[in-house]
Amino acid sequence: MNQHTVAVLGATGSVGTQALDVARNRGYRIDLLSAHRNVALTESLAREFAPATVVMTDESAGAQLKTALADTKIRVLSGEEALLGAIAQTKAETVVNSILGAAGLRPTLAVIRARKRLALANKESLVIAGDTVMEAVREENVELLPVDSEHCAIYQSLLAGKRSEIRRIILTASGGPFFGKTKAELENVTLEQTLAHPTWKMGKKITVDSATLMNKGFEVIEASHLFATPEDKIEVVVHRESILHSAVEYIDNTVIGEFSVPDMRSCVQYAVDYPDRLPGVGKPLDLFALGKMTFEKPDREAFPLLSLAGKASALGGCMGAVLNAADEVAVDAFLHERIRFSEIADVVSKTFDSLTALKDKTSLDDRFAADAEARAKAAEVIANTQ
């Protein structure tokens, strides 16, 4: 059994629970767990893995968990500042950050400052402040291994060559549940239809983002920062089978890609075990059962948020923060059935276009201010559509 010591932030979410399944199978020790407010599941995980510390970022949930775990030796803390302190003190060699949304940015920076290996599943850290995060990675000389299946694939594909030899990055997309639908056909799709992803089992927010292709747009920004490659050298290709997770084309016309059964657990295991490869927890790929693979161009008219993300990447500054905040507000409104699916892109686009002056703001404080401003503006846009 492998005795890596690991911390999992966002332990009750989709990626967090899969990371803990890897720990369960591989025998990793868990030193730190964090969650937001799911007390019942966190208690269960804490009793199973017996970490030194558990942090609930919701204060009320933290108080409940402290009572629930009073018969154990586990230290229970509450609040965001407590989480940042726990990251600084953890004995974990690798920290998996699977916190959802903008709330993951400060923990990402805390992991880097603590000089821990960062297994990053929180793409918003790079969407909001990718230049700041990557500068910190270089300054602290830490390893950042991406846990997104696409970026994990690119990371592995880049082991075959030099960054200077990249012609383009090929970023694959499943196409989501509405692949092939026209803009007009998307007007009346339901919440239930949107949440029925054809390939991946994920949380509701990321499932909606996959349906709008906003998630793929975020991944373009993420890839640009991770691999120091401009967005115009990152090509999105719809690959319905989700077997080629992404690839790199080199200047000698060679294309190196990573193929595997869609399973986020393999990405977590790769990040923790790197540079070693150990027996996987998922199923092996059966090419004969697969039979064929298809590749098509995305429909940017029906799914305009993909191109808007490219614009945000090109503009830089706070525009990634604006894009992410507007999307979080719009998706939440859709999940609560306050707006239609087609209105998500309208809300995000109107918010983005009204705040393009923030492209010239670059500090970390500016990013947080832009996040707040974009949330307020998106809420105003939603109120005006009703």
Side-chain angles (χ1 to χ4, degrees), residues 12 69 73 133 137 150 163 179 185 192 217 235 239 256 260 264 270 276 286 289 291 328 332-333 336 340 352 354 365:
T12 59
L69 292 175
K73 295 181 180 179
V133 169
V137 166
E150 296 83 357
R163 301 289 171 92
F179 174 74
E185 289 172 328
E192 184 181 6
E235 183 171 359
H239 168 52
I256 305 292
S260 62
M264 287 299 295
Y270 182 81
D276 298 325
D286 184 343
E328 285 192 17
D332 183 71
H336 288 89
R340 291 178 290 120
F352 185 93
S354 71
D365 286 343

Side-chain angles (χ1 to χ4, degrees), residues 49-186:
F49 290 100
T53 306
V54 178
V55 182
M56 300 298 284
T57 50
D58 181 271
E59 299 276 357
S60 175
Q64 292 177 53
L65 185 66
K66 191 166 187 176
T67 300
L69 292 175
D71 62 320
T72 73
K73 295 181 180 179
I74 299 169
R75 183 174 64 149
V76 178
L77 305 175
S78 304
E80 184 184 39
E81 290 304 317
L83 175 58
L84 301 181
I87 291 168
Q89 295 172 9
T90 182
K91 295 179 181 177
E93 305 147 7
T94 301
V95 180
V96 180
N97 183 2
S98 57
I99 294 171
L100 179 65
L105 175 54
R106 283 191 176 97
T108 286
L109 292 170
V111 174
I112 295 167
R113 293 187 188 111
R115 296 184 175 176
K116 306 290 184 181
R117 174 183 289 183
L118 173 60
L120 185 61
N122 174 262
K123 61 172 56 71
E124 291 83 2
S125 294
L126 294 170
V127 171
I128 296 168
D131 46 0
T132 302
V133 169
M134 296 311 295
E135 183 180 355
V137 166
R138 290 187 292 272
E139 286 178 355
E140 301 294 348
N141 193 29
V142 301
E143 290 181 305
L144 191 169
L145 279 87
V147 172
D148 265 352
S149 61
E150 296 83 357
H151 301 89
C152 180
I154 295 164
Y155 190 97
Q156 294 179 69
S157 299
L158 282 169
L159 299 178
K162 301 173 184 175
R163 301 289 171 92
S164 61
E165 297 167 343
I166 298 172
R167 175 176 289 154
R168 62 174 175 156
I169 288 173
I170 300 168
L171 191 69
T172 56
S174 71
F178 303 134
F179 174 74
K181 287 190 178 294
T182 64
K183 191 171 186 178
E185 289 172 328
L186 292 172

Side-chain angles (χ1 to χ4, degrees), residues 20-41:
L20 289 169
D21 192 44
V22 176
R24 192 177 288 120
N25 280 275
R26 297 297 314 154
Y28 302 153
R29 288 192 298 262
I30 301 297
D31 184 66
L32 167 65
L33 292 177
S34 88
H36 183 48
R37 62 165 67 100
N38 190 334
V39 175
L41 180 53

